Amino acid sequence: MGVDPLSIVDPARVRILFVPIGRIKHSRFLGFLERFKQENVIQLRDVSPDSRPHTTTFSPLAFPAGRVLFDIGTSVPPAAHLALCPFELYRQPLAVVAVADSQNLQHGLDQNDQKAYEHGDGGIGSTLSEESIQSLLDHRQQLASDFSSALVHEVIVFDHDAPNQNFPRGISGVPSPAKSKTTTIKTVMCDLTSQLLAEMTSFARSIQGLSSLESPKTPGQNIHRPLARYGETSRPASSERSQQSSDGRGTDHRMSMPAHLLANRGSRSGTPEGRPMSPPGGTQTPPTDVNGSTSTPSTSPSRVTDRSRPMSRDRASLQGFGSNSLAERERKKHRGRIGIVIGLLYLLAGRWPDAVKELSESGSVAKANNDHVWHGKALDYLLVTSLLYAWAGLDFQIPALLHAALDKPGSGSGKASKDTPSSSHVKLKSSSVTPSRDSSLHNLSHILPELVTVIQNLYSRAWTFSEDKIPQLSFSESGLRFSRLLTVIEASKGKFTDLNLQQAVLGVKPNQDEVQAAQLTTFPSKAEITTFLFRSFPSPGVDDSLTVADRTRILARIAFTLGELGYHRKKAFVLKELLEGLIPALVAARKRGAAEMGVHPAASLVALDAAVLGARDTQSQVPYGEDEMGIRGFLSMVCSAYGIHTASGDTTDLQDKAYWTGKDDQTPLSSNGASEQTEIIIQRAIQQAANRSFASLDLKIDILRLCTNICEALPDLEGVLDFSAELLRTAGSGIAPGPDDNHGSPSLSIDDQLRLWNNISRTVAAARQLGLEHLAADYWDEFLVRGIVVVPSASNHPTAHAKDDLEYVAKSTAEASSGPFLYNPFAQSNSAKTSKPLVVAGEEAAFRVTLQNLYDFDLEIESIRLVSQDDECDAPAQALTVGPYRTQSVFLTATWSESGTGIISGCIAKIRGCRERFFPIFEKPWSLKSSVKASHAHRSDQQPEISSQARESPRKDTRAPKGPVPSSLSLDVIPALPAVMLKKMSLSQSAVMLLEGETKFFNITLYNASKSVTADLVLPTFKDSTAAPLQAAMANKKLTPSELYELELAAAQKPLRWLRENDDPALIIWPGKEATLRIEVNGKPGLSDASILISYGHLGVPRSEHKDRFYTRQLSIPLTVTVNASIDITRAELRPFNPSFAWQNQQIQSSQSQSHSATKSETSTSTRSPSTLSTRSKSSKSHHNNSENRFQALLSRISSDKPHCLLSLDCRNSWSNPLSLSIQIRPPAPLTSTPKPNPQTPNTTNPLTYTVHESLQPNQTKRILLLLPRIRLPNTHTNRPIPSLTKTNQQYVVPSPSSAPSSHSTHLAARQTFWYREALLNHLHATWTEDTSTPPRRTGVINPRDIRLSQESIAVYSLPELEISMSVSLSPPSNERIQQTSPRTYTVPLSTPLVLTTTLTNHTPRPIYAILRLQPRHAALERDVDLGGKFLVHGLLQRGVGVLQPLEEKGVEVGFCVVGVGRWVVGGVVEEVVAGENAEDEGEGGDDGFMAMGRERERRVWGVEEGVAIVGSE
């Protein structure tokens, strides 16, 4: 049972000094001490009185109900404490108990027990040898010499199981716990108490023999020598003392006696055994009654005279005359002081009635003589005696002196007389005037607050007299004891109970639920008790006699009491004052120690700490740091008062985890249990953030600095590390800031941060030199790791594919039939997003780890590695440095041996000077919300209190604060893949130069570097620089459909293509083998660079049998391409072609056919090959003749039944060398719903195809004329929507009604222009060849899509849907002749009946109801005039045609006659009579319905393109 140092009954405790002798282990010594402390209260009825007749003054038989309280300790009181004796005699150890271990003593064994003793069984039941006993006696004699002020010196041999061992006086044995009884230790304590009470008699008589007793002075002025420390050299003992000690007898020389009394102690040597004789009145021991109280109180030693006292002392006491003389008053004052000391001895001896009597009488004397210090001390002892009565359960009466101090009469005893202080003597329980215990306690609780105030006031009043000035130590400790008592009573609602009496005397704290008493209105409040407590606060500089240890002890007790009262802030400030006073003393002590060891105090901690460590190892065998745990725990308690949650004071924190602290450096830090560690770290982050927001941050920083400085001054290396790290942690922001958050900087200056960081590094280095490898700090930022992502490799990162993606491999061979925009899943880049990042088993994967350092110093990380949940990856550690106040990305690697799923949960890092620990991933920003800071920011040593209002309010939000959300990186570990690389390329420096339209070929050789994995899936895809601009242009929403089609067609024409061998798509590269691919590259305008993407993977089974997803890698081969201009078509124009050339050609051919001699020659010329229509002249003909001959050859091919138009192309040679141009004209292709790109190869099989050749010099432009047959496209084709290569169902926006007519006509014209342009482009195929003498010569294809057509050109190129033709013939019967001079000109005779036949052909798919209107006019006139008399028409010029069915041809004949000479032109129009259904309204499958919206149906009108010219001639 521990002893409360703040107990009010501390003056009633007898100090026993417990010291070891001989060889004894530290643990066993502490075990013996604990056995002794269990019996620290001894009742006098259990104590046997001493048999000597002169030692009965303090006989236990006088008051059997009394109790002796012991305070058993192992330390010698300081000299400042011993200087207060005999004013406070209880501070002096009155007994010294030396402890010996029986196992380490030599035993006397016979031969049979020798073997058992050597095996560790010796000493059990064996007796001690004579040498051992003599050694114990020598030790006891040394104790008596060293601790001469003690009354009893006893040697106890523990675990001595020999029951028949006879020990000499002063030595006793205690059996082991296994053989001890429940009363064994109590019996030893009773015997020790009996010796102590016997020795108190001579000590009391020596006190009574003093003529004066001075008040306590400062330690330097006190006449008593402090107790000698154990082990120090003391003065040599005299031969007489040695003889007495050898006989086991105690010494009569006591250092507590004045020096001038020592010379008169020789008369006591004649007493038996050399002990002082008891007073005469104490020779008989009175009997006791049934209640344990004596029937007749014993004689007080104050009235006992010492017969051996010299007469000269009595004569000295009679000097002076009269009761009021100064000498008499001084004599009474000193006699009163002596009586108070005697009363204290009775109090220590458990003789409480005698103590009350002596203290009351002597206290009255002190009061009468204004001896304030001793008067207050008497009141103090009387209060202690009353409390002991109440604690023992005895009836008692409050001493009258206590009432007199308050000017109040005693309760139940009538008016107290000041002249008769003996009336305050405690009455026996059987007496009728003795009040009950309850009533006395009730009265005591009322007077207690005022009484303790009076006592402190008496001490304070004595400060006005310099000779009676009470030391600060005594004043402060008295106030602390009184405050402690008031605190205990206040906790019990102001009343004395059995529970709080147990707490006041024995320190047993009751449960809060057991306190049920009502609050007294007169008892002081906590605030008043606090005010009283602060009177004990030692003011700095007032009294220099107060040592640092005493000042520290007083401040610690003040802080403890404030904590009991609930004033934690005041407690915190007191503790801060305590620490500030400790630092200078510790520094000074360190300097003295360094000076003694010969090292400089400002040097490293290594030399000093090594010496301290060696001293500990050689003397006490205590592991390093074990004795410092007390001071470190105290510092943690101080920090907790300021709201600082330190790791040193938290036994449930992360440092209890082996994987957290990493104390065993021989065992690697395990990464298992990442989830458990993460939860602990989250809770710690919440707690630290809440504690950081609680109370003042500046005060916390100051306290942590003080704690660090104290640990440096001790020196305590582990404490320096812990508190330095805690200071950095507390001063930090404790948040995970976002990218734009600037609130993460710590609250320390840069210099302070650097000093702490260097201090940690220097301390760890010093610990390493001392061999303390486990010492390290705890890293101060939980948010070190802010993110982990996989770093995809440009060439090795895998890509996931679905099973359907294998279909592309089969379709890629038929790309043209599948469409130019076929989806290519293998053309996706490696950075395409997937559900999980991919890593390959057996290959090293790279990770980008984002680290956070919110402090202004470089963070040196000795090792950091990735951690997976199941330790399935091999992650090598790396060393790196993170710069000050930044977020820095570093790269780490890891390797998985098997496929499956991997989860990266964080990193394990070892920061310089810190323990290796686990850091989770906190990607999202986090900070503790202000609404939950106050509720969770409580001290670590207390639980958060829940108010009654919170209990009654069920709607109050009691949810825990939301902590940082950890994240993890989930990976898909896929099976091993091949490693394909480029071995060689046929192009030099991966570059090629082309002209526009030119095609080249090159080879690339691939090599599979894998040793075991086959690349059975290899598919090249291509990317070029033209794709991105085209895609950006196609994204424009304002493009017309025709413009969008041109862009899509350009995007569909890929400049690179893989030429498969034998169209076999199964390209396999075996491990360690090669494969060659042939690539075609085309000179596309705008092409500057390209990439060949080789997607490869391993399926392991045939593609048709593969059912799961698969993975591929992609090898990117860059290619630099330079495309220069070749031949550009700068201008294109369509012009009408006069049909007269065809008619004349037909007439010539007819006339030449009549001549048989020229038939074969002309037939040969007309049917020669298209390639010979224009040949390069090998003779020296002029350019004009070549062009003329070429055009004549073209004219020879036309006929009148097929109308033609003339195409004019301006071609320019942009290349530096001459180029030969070849343009091939092909017959019209069949109509399709979707236009196809122009063929890249010439057509030589069709006899209607012809080619025009031309040579162009550099930068030369030539115009080339081409004859094109006119075509007719039905409305069902020209009215189709303009197709899109990327949209399957294109929809058009319906225009508003106001713009519908114009939009309709515009869209109709745009569609017709598009389709006629596509038909025109299908006619042309142009190529060029470089004219050089050195092969190889460049060749290429000209893209004619630069040709643009206008509406006028479309009218020239297209034929009308209703064909109208006119002819003139004679009306039979007639013998005249008509001469046709041209296809549209007839020369007719005058006054001859003629017939004008108008032939109508319906080329539409619908019937036409039409009417024909002829319009004759004179050729010289611009408009029609009256033709009467010169041009006669039979009937009307307007004739009904009727119904003209589709593809039906119908002629309308009109008779006429030319009367006058002249030239007449007959034209006309055909107008629809009934508006029928238009072909564009019901198109064939592709009509989108737009042409039928926004307009009404109209009647169509067709005009004659060229009328018939009739020339009248005689």
Side-chain angles (χ1 to χ4, degrees):
M1 182 182 301
V3 176
D4 185 9
L6 301 179
S7 175
I8 186 64
V9 297
D10 194 50
R13 288 196 178 102
V14 177
R15 264 59 174 179
I16 296 181
L17 183 60
F18 208 74
V19 296
I21 59 173
R23 297 177 57 190
I24 184 172
K25 293 183 178 180
H26 181 70
S27 58
R28 291 182 59 82
F29 175 75
L30 295 180
F32 302 154
L33 178 63
E34 290 300 323
R35 292 182 65 184
F36 241 63
K37 285 185 177 181
Q38 293 177 0
E39 301 293 338
N40 58 353
V41 178
I42 301 298
Q43 294 189 9
L44 292 183
R45 62 167 50 93
D46 299 329
V47 178
S48 299
D50 193 87
S51 59
R52 292 169 295 178
H54 58 278
T55 59
T56 58
T57 303
F58 298 94
S59 173
L61 300 178
F63 187 64
R67 292 170 174 82
V68 179
L69 282 66
F70 290 100
D71 182 7
I72 305 173
T74 59
S75 60
V76 179
H81 291 213
L82 297 178
L84 298 177
C85 298
F87 176 71
E88 293 178 349
L89 189 60
Y90 59 88
R91 297 180 181 274
Q92 173 181 311
L94 298 181
V96 177
V97 176
V99 179
D101 190 357
S102 177
Q103 294 183 0
N104 296 324
L105 295 177
Q106 183 181 359
H107 295 73
L109 303 178
D110 54 13
Q111 295 180 356
N112 296 330
D113 295 336
Q114 182 67 29
K115 185 176 181 181
Y117 178 76
E118 292 177 355
H119 286 80
D121 296 334
I124 306 300
S126 59
T127 60
L128 296 178
S129 61
E130 294 294 336
E131 293 80 1
S132 299
I133 294 178
Q134 184 60 39
S135 176
L136 294 178
L137 290 176
D138 295 340
H139 280 294
R140 181 177 180 275
Q141 181 180 1
Q142 185 65 33
L143 284 177
S145 175
D146 295 337
F147 302 98
S148 58
S149 60
L151 302 181
V152 176
H153 303 85
E154 187 75 13
V155 176
I156 299 179
V157 181
F158 275 86
D159 290 356
H160 183 68
D161 296 333
N164 299 325
Q165 177 79 49
N166 293 323
F167 288 104
R169 184 177 181 86
I171 301 177
S172 59
V174 175
S176 61
K179 295 187 178 182
S180 297
K181 300 179 181 179
T182 56
T183 59
T184 299
I185 300 298
K186 185 176 182 180
T187 302
V188 174
M189 290 298 296
C190 290
D191 296 341
L192 186 64
T193 304
S194 177
Q195 297 182 37
L196 179 63
L197 295 180
E199 294 297 331
M200 277 187 178
T201 301
S202 58
F203 184 72
R205 295 179 65 182
S206 64
I207 294 297
Q208 288 178 340
L210 298 176
S211 60
S212 63
L213 195 60
E214 300 295 333
S215 296
K217 306 292 183 182
T218 59
Q221 297 175 351
N222 197 279
I223 61 174
H224 304 289
R225 187 179 65 87
L227 287 177
R229 294 180 181 269
Y230 176 68
E232 292 180 354
T233 304
S234 180
R235 59 177 178 86
S238 60
S239 58
E240 178 183 1
R241 181 178 178 86
S242 302
Q243 181 181 0
Q244 293 174 353
S245 300
S246 62
D247 296 337
R249 303 170 186 176
T251 177
D252 10 298
H253 180 275
R254 308 202 181 277
M255 294 302 300
S256 59
M257 297 176 59
H260 60 274
L261 295 180
L262 298 180
N264 299 325
R265 295 295 303 276
S267 59
R268 298 182 183 178
S269 59
T271 59
E273 300 181 7
R275 293 184 178 270
M277 297 183 60
S278 302
T283 57
Q284 300 295 331
T285 301
T288 59
D289 57 6
V290 294
N291 296 326
S293 59
T294 57
S295 57
T296 303
S298 61
T299 305
S300 174
S302 60
R303 297 186 299 270
V304 178
T305 58
D306 190 4
R307 295 182 180 180
S308 61
R309 183 176 177 181
M311 295 301 295
S312 59
R313 303 289 298 173
D314 295 335
R315 289 193 299 267
S317 63
L318 295 179
Q319 293 178 358
F321 183 80
S323 60
N324 294 328
S325 63
L326 182 60
E328 182 63 21
R329 293 184 60 184
E330 189 70 17
R331 187 182 65 84
K332 290 181 179 180
K333 182 175 68 174
H334 287 286
R335 297 309 301 174
R337 294 179 179 181
I338 294 174
I340 293 174
V341 175
I342 297 300
L344 176 60
L345 289 176
Y346 276 116
L347 180 61
L348 294 173
R351 297 274 295 270
W352 301 332
D354 297 326
V356 171
K357 179 180 180 182
E358 288 292 337
L359 291 173
S360 297
E361 293 178 352
S362 301
S364 299
V365 174
K367 179 182 179 181
N369 292 278
N370 295 327
D371 196 357
H372 304 301
V373 174
W374 292 86
H375 179 205
K377 185 58 64 177
L379 297 178
D380 186 358
Y381 294 158
L382 287 174
L383 176 60
V384 172
T385 307
S386 300
L387 292 175
L388 290 176
Y389 265 113
W391 165 70
L394 303 177
D395 293 338
F396 69 97
Q397 181 179 357
I398 299 176
L401 186 60
L402 299 182
H403 288 287
L406 305 177
D407 296 330
K408 295 181 179 180
S411 176
S413 61
K415 185 177 182 179
S417 175
K418 296 183 180 180
D419 299 334
T420 57
S422 60
S423 62
S424 63
H425 181 66
V426 179
K427 302 298 180 181
L428 298 179
K429 186 175 181 180
S430 57
S431 176
S432 59
V433 296
T434 303
S436 64
R437 174 175 175 269
D438 295 337
S439 62
S440 298
L441 283 177
H442 179 74
N443 295 333
L444 184 60
S445 64
H446 281 78
I447 69 172
L448 179 62
E450 188 177 356
L451 178 61
V452 295
T453 304
V454 168
I455 296 175
Q456 289 297 94
N457 291 338
L458 289 174
Y459 292 156
S460 301
R461 191 181 305 175
W463 282 61
T464 58
F465 305 98
S466 59
E467 65 276 6
D468 289 333
K469 179 180 178 180
I470 185 173
Q472 181 68 39
L473 175 63
S474 180
F475 179 81
S476 297
E477 291 195 352
S478 298
L480 290 173
R481 292 191 297 106
F482 296 150
S483 301
R484 177 64 176 163
L485 177 62
L486 294 176
T487 302
V488 171
I489 306 304
E490 193 278 335
S492 301
K493 308 303 179 182
K495 286 191 175 182
F496 282 102
T497 62
D498 293 338
L499 296 176
N500 58 32
L501 286 174
Q502 289 287 336
Q503 182 181 2
V505 177
L506 301 180
V508 181
K509 188 175 182 179
N511 296 329
Q512 192 66 23
D513 298 336
E514 298 177 355
V515 180
Q516 301 178 354
Q519 177 69 44
L520 290 179
T521 57
T522 59
F523 202 81
S525 62
K526 291 183 178 180
E528 295 174 346
I529 298 177
T530 303
T531 303
F532 179 80
L533 174 64
F534 272 104
R535 296 183 62 182
S536 304
F537 193 91
S539 300
V542 176
D543 189 2
D544 296 336
S545 63
L546 196 62
T547 62
V548 176
D550 293 336
R551 176 184 172 82
T552 303
R553 189 182 301 107
I554 292 172
L555 292 177
R557 293 182 179 183
I558 293 176
F560 176 78
T561 306
L562 289 173
E564 292 289 325
L565 292 172
Y567 291 97
H568 298 284
R569 288 189 178 182
K570 291 183 174 61
K571 172 185 175 181
F573 281 103
V574 172
L575 292 176
K576 182 174 180 293
E577 186 73 18
L578 186 151
L579 296 181
E580 290 177 350
L582 273 179
I583 294 177
L586 292 176
V587 171
R590 179 179 174 181
K591 291 181 179 180
R592 289 193 300 269
E596 293 175 358
M597 289 182 291
V599 297
H600 195 279
S604 176
L605 299 176
V606 177
L608 182 59
D609 218 36
V612 176
L613 180 62
R616 290 195 186 99
D617 291 340
T618 55
Q619 294 180 7
S620 60
Q621 300 297 326
V622 180
Y624 176 76
E626 182 176 332
D627 51 348
E628 277 80 11
M629 290 301 294
I631 186 64
R632 202 174 305 132
F634 166 71
L635 295 178
S636 300
M637 182 267 295
V638 175
C639 293
S640 65
Y642 281 85
I644 304 172
H645 186 75
T646 60
S648 299
D650 188 5
T651 58
T652 62
D653 210 325
L654 298 173
Q655 60 178 355
D656 287 345
K657 306 293 183 180
Y659 54 78
W660 173 266
T661 56
K663 292 182 178 179
D664 188 4
D665 291 341
Q666 304 300 327
T667 304
L669 194 63
S670 174
S671 59
N672 294 329
S675 58
E676 179 184 357
Q677 299 181 45
T678 303
E679 292 298 326
I680 297 176
I681 292 173
I682 291 175
Q683 295 300 324
R684 179 173 178 176
I686 297 175
Q687 181 67 41
Q688 290 174 358
N691 291 338
R692 189 176 288 104
S693 62
F694 171 74
S696 173
L697 181 60
D698 295 337
L699 287 176
K700 294 179 182 179
I701 293 176
D702 292 342
I703 286 299
L704 289 173
R705 282 175 177 168
L706 291 175
C707 295
T708 305
N709 294 336
I710 287 178
C711 293
E712 290 179 352
L714 283 176
D716 180 9
L717 300 183
E718 187 172 358
V720 172
L721 296 176
D722 290 344
F723 289 107
S724 297
E726 187 63 34
L727 179 54
L728 288 173
R729 182 182 298 110
T730 302
S733 59
I735 65 174
D740 300 329
D741 194 354
N742 54 358
H743 300 289
S745 58
S747 301
L748 283 176
S749 63
I750 299 179
D751 294 338
D752 290 342
Q753 298 179 46
L754 292 175
R755 185 185 64 83
L756 290 173
W757 170 249
N758 295 330
N759 194 22
I760 292 176
S761 302
R762 186 174 63 254
T763 303
V764 171
R768 296 295 184 271
Q769 295 182 17
L770 294 174
L772 305 175
E773 300 293 338
H774 68 280
L775 285 186
D778 185 14
Y779 187 64
W780 39 88
D781 188 5
E782 309 295 338
F783 305 100
L784 176 66
V785 181
R786 295 301 307 275
I788 300 178
V789 294
V790 178
V791 180
S793 175
S795 59
N796 295 329
H797 192 70
T799 303
H801 296 277
K803 178 183 179 297
D804 298 337
D805 293 345
L806 287 175
E807 300 178 0
Y808 174 80
V809 181
K811 292 181 180 179
S812 61
T813 58
E815 181 177 352
S817 61
S818 302
F821 287 94
L822 179 68
Y823 169 69
N824 184 4
F826 298 94
Q828 302 293 329
S829 61
N830 289 331
S831 59
K833 293 183 179 179
T834 57
S835 58
K836 292 182 181 179
L838 303 177
V839 295
V840 183
E843 297 184 7
E844 191 176 63
F847 297 84
R848 185 175 68 250
V849 182
T850 303
L851 302 179
Q852 168 184 288
N853 180 19
L854 298 180
Y855 295 84
D856 297 306
F857 51 80
D858 291 333
L859 189 63
E860 300 180 16
I861 301 179
E862 297 179 352
S863 65
I864 183 172
R865 59 184 177 91
L866 298 174
V867 177
S868 60
Q869 287 190 354
D870 299 326
D871 273 346
E872 69 274 9
C873 72
D874 181 17
Q878 297 183 14
L880 49 94
T881 300
V882 181
Y885 198 74
R886 68 187 60 190
T887 300
Q888 182 173 325
S889 295
V890 298
F891 294 94
L892 302 179
T893 59
T895 304
W896 277 261
S897 58
E898 299 180 356
S899 61
T901 301
I903 299 178
I904 299 295
S905 57
C907 295
I908 291 181
K910 173 67 171 65
I911 292 90
R912 178 185 175 187
C914 300
R915 302 182 183 93
E916 186 178 41
R917 52 161 290 187
F918 170 73
F919 291 93
I921 307 173
F922 294 107
E923 291 184 352
K924 298 181 179 180
W926 177 84
S927 61
L928 190 64
K929 295 182 179 179
S930 58
S931 58
V932 297
K933 287 180 179 179
S935 59
H936 290 268
H938 54 275
R939 288 167 300 276
S940 59
D941 57 344
Q942 293 184 353
Q943 297 294 331
E945 298 182 357
I946 302 177
S947 62
S948 59
Q949 182 180 2
R951 296 189 183 98
E952 295 173 0
S953 176
R955 296 183 180 180
K956 187 175 181 179
D957 188 10
T958 58
R959 293 177 297 178
K962 186 177 181 180
V965 179
S967 60
S968 60
L969 179 61
S970 182
L971 308 170
D972 282 339
V973 184
I974 63 176
L977 292 178
V980 177
M981 61 182 63
L982 176 65
K983 187 173 184 179
K984 63 180 178 179
M985 179 185 293
S986 60
L987 294 177
S988 175
Q989 297 180 356
S990 299
V992 61
M993 192 279 288
L994 300 170
L995 299 183
E996 291 182 2
E998 183 183 3
T999 301
K1000 283 189 175 182
F1001 305 91
F1002 62 92
N1003 298 331
I1004 58 174
T1005 302
L1006 304 178
Y1007 173 72
N1008 185 5
S1010 178
K1011 298 182 179 179
S1012 60
V1013 184
T1014 303
D1016 54 5
L1017 177 61
V1018 181
L1019 182 64
T1021 55
F1022 307 94
K1023 292 177 62 177
D1024 58 88
S1025 59
T1026 63
L1030 291 174
Q1031 293 292 337
M1034 287 188 293
N1036 188 3
K1037 302 298 182 181
K1038 297 181 180 181
L1039 293 175
T1040 62
S1042 60
E1043 293 173 344
L1044 180 61
Y1045 176 79
E1046 291 297 327
L1047 292 174
E1048 291 174 348
L1049 188 60
Q1053 296 174 355
K1054 304 297 182 182
L1056 285 89
R1057 189 165 62 97
W1058 173 34
L1059 300 180
R1060 301 173 182 266
E1061 296 181 359
N1062 301 325
D1063 295 334
D1064 184 15
L1067 178 61
I1068 300 177
I1069 307 177
W1070 300 100
K1073 301 298 182 178
E1074 301 176 359
T1076 302
L1077 280 71
R1078 186 169 180 79
I1079 306 299
E1080 177 189 274
V1081 56
N1082 182 264
K1084 183 178 180 180
L1087 180 63
S1088 60
D1089 60 81
S1091 297
I1092 306 174
L1093 306 178
I1094 309 296
S1095 298
Y1096 61 93
H1098 175 72
L1099 299 178
V1101 295
R1103 297 172 184 174
S1104 59
E1105 300 178 4
H1106 191 78
K1107 299 181 180 180
D1108 299 332
R1109 64 188 306 183
F1110 63 97
Y1111 303 92
T1112 63
R1113 280 178 172 167
Q1114 199 171 82
L1115 173 63
S1116 179
I1117 304 174
L1119 181 65
T1120 303
V1121 182
T1122 303
V1123 178
N1124 295 322
S1126 57
I1127 293 181
D1128 300 329
I1129 300 177
T1130 59
R1131 184 177 178 272
E1133 187 178 2
L1134 285 171
R1135 291 294 181 183
F1137 186 73
N1138 196 333
S1140 299
F1141 293 99
W1143 182 81
Q1144 292 177 0
N1145 186 34
Q1146 185 177 5
Q1147 293 298 323
I1148 293 173
Q1149 292 178 1
S1150 299
S1151 62
Q1152 290 178 354
S1153 64
Q1154 297 176 2
S1155 177
H1156 297 284
S1157 60
T1159 301
K1160 296 181 181 180
S1161 176
E1162 293 296 330
T1163 303
S1164 173
T1165 304
S1166 61
T1167 58
R1168 55 188 173 176
S1169 175
S1171 62
T1172 63
L1173 290 178
S1174 178
T1175 59
R1176 296 180 178 83
S1177 179
K1178 298 183 181 179
S1179 63
S1180 58
K1181 293 182 180 181
S1182 62
H1183 176 72
H1184 176 73
N1185 294 332
N1186 291 337
S1187 300
E1188 183 178 358
N1189 293 336
R1190 185 185 307 117
F1191 194 70
Q1192 289 177 357
L1194 293 176
L1195 293 178
S1196 65
R1197 298 181 53 85
I1198 62 177
S1199 60
S1200 60
D1201 57 344
K1202 294 181 179 180
H1204 287 71
C1205 63
L1206 187 63
L1207 176 61
S1208 174
L1209 298 179
D1210 292 347
C1211 298
R1212 182 178 181 271
N1213 180 10
S1214 300
W1215 182 234
S1216 59
N1217 296 328
L1219 298 177
S1220 296
L1221 174 63
S1222 299
I1223 302 178
Q1224 187 182 77
I1225 305 300
R1226 302 178 180 185
L1231 299 178
T1232 57
S1233 59
T1234 303
K1236 296 183 179 180
N1238 302 88
Q1240 300 296 321
T1241 57
N1243 186 359
T1244 60
T1245 59
N1246 196 324
L1248 300 179
T1249 302
Y1250 69 92
T1251 304
V1252 177
H1253 299 278
E1254 190 64 56
S1255 178
L1256 299 177
Q1257 296 299 319
N1259 297 325
Q1260 183 183 8
T1261 301
K1262 283 187 178 182
R1263 179 167 293 178
I1264 302 175
L1265 299 178
L1266 301 172
L1267 285 176
L1268 297 178
R1270 297 179 65 187
I1271 63 173
R1272 179 184 292 108
L1273 298 179
N1275 291 340
T1276 56
H1277 188 80
T1278 58
N1279 292 336
R1280 285 178 175 273
I1282 299 175
S1284 175
L1285 301 181
T1286 58
K1287 300 179 181 177
T1288 58
N1289 187 13
Q1290 185 176 11
Q1291 307 228 350
Y1292 290 88
V1293 179
V1294 178
S1296 62
S1298 60
S1299 61
S1302 61
S1303 297
H1304 175 270
S1305 60
T1306 302
H1307 281 279
L1308 178 60
R1311 291 184 179 186
Q1312 292 177 347
T1313 303
F1314 173 79
W1315 290 111
Y1316 276 103
R1317 178 176 175 270
E1318 291 297 321
L1320 173 63
L1321 296 179
N1322 287 330
H1323 282 299
L1324 303 177
H1325 175 71
T1327 60
W1328 57 265
T1329 303
E1330 187 178 17
D1331 291 340
T1332 59
S1333 58
T1334 58
R1337 296 188 300 175
R1338 298 179 182 271
T1339 60
V1341 179
I1342 300 174
N1343 186 8
R1345 299 201 70 85
D1346 293 336
I1347 298 175
R1348 295 292 183 263
L1349 299 181
S1350 62
Q1351 287 294 327
E1352 293 78 4
S1353 299
I1354 296 299
V1356 173
Y1357 182 58
S1358 63
L1359 293 174
E1361 57 186 1
L1362 182 63
E1363 183 180 354
I1364 306 174
S1365 61
M1366 292 181 178
S1367 62
V1368 178
S1369 62
L1370 294 173
S1371 176
S1374 176
N1375 296 324
E1376 299 290 339
R1377 295 182 60 183
I1378 299 175
Q1379 182 181 1
Q1380 185 178 1
T1381 60
S1382 69
R1384 299 291 187 265
T1385 304
Y1386 295 88
T1387 302
V1388 299
L1390 299 176
S1391 303
T1392 302
L1394 301 172
V1395 177
L1396 179 62
T1397 303
T1398 303
T1399 304
L1400 304 178
T1401 304
N1402 183 11
H1403 292 282
T1404 65
R1406 298 289 184 265
I1408 299 176
Y1409 301 86
I1411 185 174
L1412 173 62
R1413 292 187 177 94
L1414 297 177
Q1415 298 174 349
R1417 64 179 179 85
H1418 196 276
L1421 302 176
E1422 296 181 359
R1423 59 180 180 176
D1424 298 340
V1425 297
D1426 186 8
L1427 301 178
K1430 293 184 178 181
F1431 191 89
L1432 302 178
V1433 178
H1434 182 267
L1436 298 175
L1437 294 175
Q1438 179 174 319
R1439 302 291 179 92
V1441 179
V1443 179
L1444 192 62
Q1445 297 297 332
L1447 304 179
E1448 182 183 359
E1449 181 178 329
K1450 184 179 290 187
V1452 179
E1453 296 181 352
V1454 177
F1456 70 95
C1457 179
V1458 179
V1459 179
V1461 177
R1463 186 180 181 86
W1464 306 91
V1465 178
V1466 181
V1469 294
V1470 177
E1471 183 177 354
E1472 196 174 17
V1473 178
V1474 179
E1477 295 181 352
N1478 296 330
E1480 61 268 18
D1481 297 335
E1482 297 180 4
E1484 183 182 348
D1487 185 16
D1488 56 353
F1490 175 75
M1491 310 309 295
M1493 301 178 63
R1495 68 175 179 89
E1496 298 179 357
R1497 302 192 182 274
E1498 300 175 353
R1499 293 182 299 171
R1500 293 172 287 179
V1501 179
W1502 296 271
V1504 180
E1505 290 185 353
E1506 294 184 8
V1508 178
I1510 302 174
V1511 180
S1513 169
E1514 295 181 354

